[in-house]
Amino acid sequence: MSASPTARLNIDMAALSHNYAALKRAAGPAEVAPVVKADAYGLGMAAVAPHLARHGARTFFVARLAEALTLRTLVGNDPVIYVLDGLTDPPAFAAQRLRPVINTRVQYQLWLQGSANVVAALHIDTGMNRLGIRPDEVAALPDAGEHKLALVISHLACGDEPNHPLNAQQLRDFRASTARFPGVARSLANSPGIYLGPDYAFDLVRPGICLYGGGPFGIPHPDIQPVAHLSGRILQLRELKAGESVGYGATFVAKRDMTLATVGLGYADGLLRSFAPSGFVTIKGERRPLAGRVSMDVFTVDVTGLHVSDSTWVEILGSSQNLDDVATAAGTIGYEILTRLGARVPRHYA
Ligand SMILES: *Cc1c(COP(=O)(O)O)cnc(C)c1O
């Protein structure tokens, strides 16, 4: 991309296929249908989706109709594509053989009034109270007739907390409310749900975060390898005297003489401001704390005693520091770290 980049995002495609295979093992006989919404969680749907299709993925989920239209051009006509947002524009769904995930009774009616070429999924809301038809409304839905309902789904609110009582309750309500649709495939589990056990797998599972290197329960998991490796290059080194401060707000004051490196990666590249002051980065295999605030284009780090130059690369996220650890240090979740990776960071796929 640019002549001398100061930040880079390496995306490990072998780790992506490793995670896909690990999820297949964990899901048993259920089909594993990758969720590639939000540009494959920031990692680039254009590379991720065809790679997963080559490794056997036959069904994909996105959030928006626009994402589905792009995905269709990337994976060709064969894969099944579900759109979680619901049924908005029936002719567009028919033209590209996309499948809406119907969320409301109004969308269900719209579907029945439109072309029978549109195959759909139905979303039953068993406790998230966000998208989907309530279980008590399911009984009142008219029969689909000529129209084909291929899948019934629900979504777990607390899958990442294995002992949360809502998991078992949603499982029970999902079983009860899908009884109305004998022979229709069922799907409940996202990444965390897959690791709640075989009861949650049903016919198809919908992982996102575990494909992209996040653990199912917000902490690293032995099955899941890091996929995104984010690094920045040192732009400048400076010697700091005890008592001198660093950066906006002068929040960091050197306790002793020290060497400071300014690295070419900031919040516009996806390094959240909240990553300082508790975050660490890895330089030549050593963990070093951030010093001062993260600014838009750069952050600063204590490199006292290290043999570094103004071309040394510093790893923020990757093998040295897991996505979940970075998220915890920044007070957020791996999903937000990935989906906020800046568009200006060049992606390299290997
Ligand atoms: C985003 C999403 C998923 C994927 O969730 P992960 O926790 O990333 O595995 C699955 N199902 C639905 C309905 C979603 O919105």
Side-chain angles (χ1 to χ4, degrees), residues 35 37 41 84 123 130 153-155 189-192 206-210 335:
V35 179
K37 62 191 178 186
Y41 291 38
L84 292 164
H123 189 164
R130 199 180 60 164
I153 79 161
S154 192
H155 194 45
N190 57 347
S191 301
R206 314 182 305 268
I209 195 72
C210 281
Y335 302 72

Side-chain angles (χ1 to χ4, degrees), residues 135-296:
D136 56 10
E137 294 177 323
V138 168
L141 292 175
D143 278 336
E146 305 260 276
H147 288 68
K148 184 174 180 215
L149 192 62
L151 184 69
V152 185
I153 79 161
S154 192
H155 194 45
L156 296 167
C158 306
D160 59 346
E161 298 172 56
N163 296 321
H164 199 291
L166 195 49
N167 293 324
Q169 187 185 317
Q170 287 194 268
L171 177 62
R172 203 177 53 238
D173 290 351
F174 185 59
R175 282 215 180 97
S177 52
T178 51
R180 151 103 210 254
F181 308 101
V184 178
R186 294 184 288 179
S187 173
L188 177 61
N190 57 347
S191 301
I194 293 168
Y195 286 91
L196 291 180
D199 283 355
Y200 288 80
F202 292 92
D203 302 296
L204 179 148
V205 297
R206 314 182 305 268
I209 195 72
C210 281
L211 287 168
Y212 309 119
F217 304 130
I219 52 171
H221 188 282
D223 276 5
I224 303 302
Q225 293 182 353
V227 175
H229 298 255
L230 179 66
S231 310
R233 188 165 60 77
I234 295 177
L235 299 179
Q236 186 170 343
L237 291 165
R238 74 172 53 235
E239 299 304 324
L240 216 60
K241 297 250 172 293
E244 288 184 317
S245 67
V246 178
Y248 286 119
T251 54
F252 179 89
V253 177
K255 291 201 179 67
R256 58 190 78 82
D257 292 1
M258 60 182 280
T259 311
L260 190 80
T262 300
V263 181
L265 194 135
Y267 60 76
D269 304 296
L271 186 68
L272 303 189
R273 275 181 92 245
S274 57
F275 190 57
S278 53
F280 284 81
V281 298
T282 302
I283 309 167
K284 300 206 148 178
E286 274 204 42
R287 266 163 74 83
R288 286 301 175 102
L290 265 62
R293 287 184 183 160
V294 174
S295 45
M296 188 183 294

Side-chain angles (χ1 to χ4, degrees), residues 62 64-72 79-83 87 90 92-101 117-120:
V62 291
R64 310 271 186 254
L65 175 56
E67 293 174 336
L69 294 169
T70 305
L71 180 57
R72 181 57 82 210
V80 169
I81 300 175
Y82 284 105
V83 180
L87 183 58
F93 280 84
Q96 293 304 326
R97 296 194 314 106
L98 305 173
R99 297 186 178 183
V101 177
N117 291 333
V118 176
V119 176

Side-chain angles (χ1 to χ4, degrees), residues 30-56:
E31 180 182 354
V32 179
V35 179
V36 295
K37 62 191 178 186
D39 202 23
Y41 291 38
L43 300 187
M45 186 171 72
V48 164
H51 183 82
L52 292 170
R54 280 194 297 278
H55 284 79

Side-chain angles (χ1 to χ4, degrees), residues 13-23 25 222-225:
M13 301 305 268
L16 177 66
S17 14
H18 167 96
N19 294 343
Y20 180 58
L23 290 163
R25 280 194 303 277
D223 276 5
I224 303 302
Q225 293 182 353

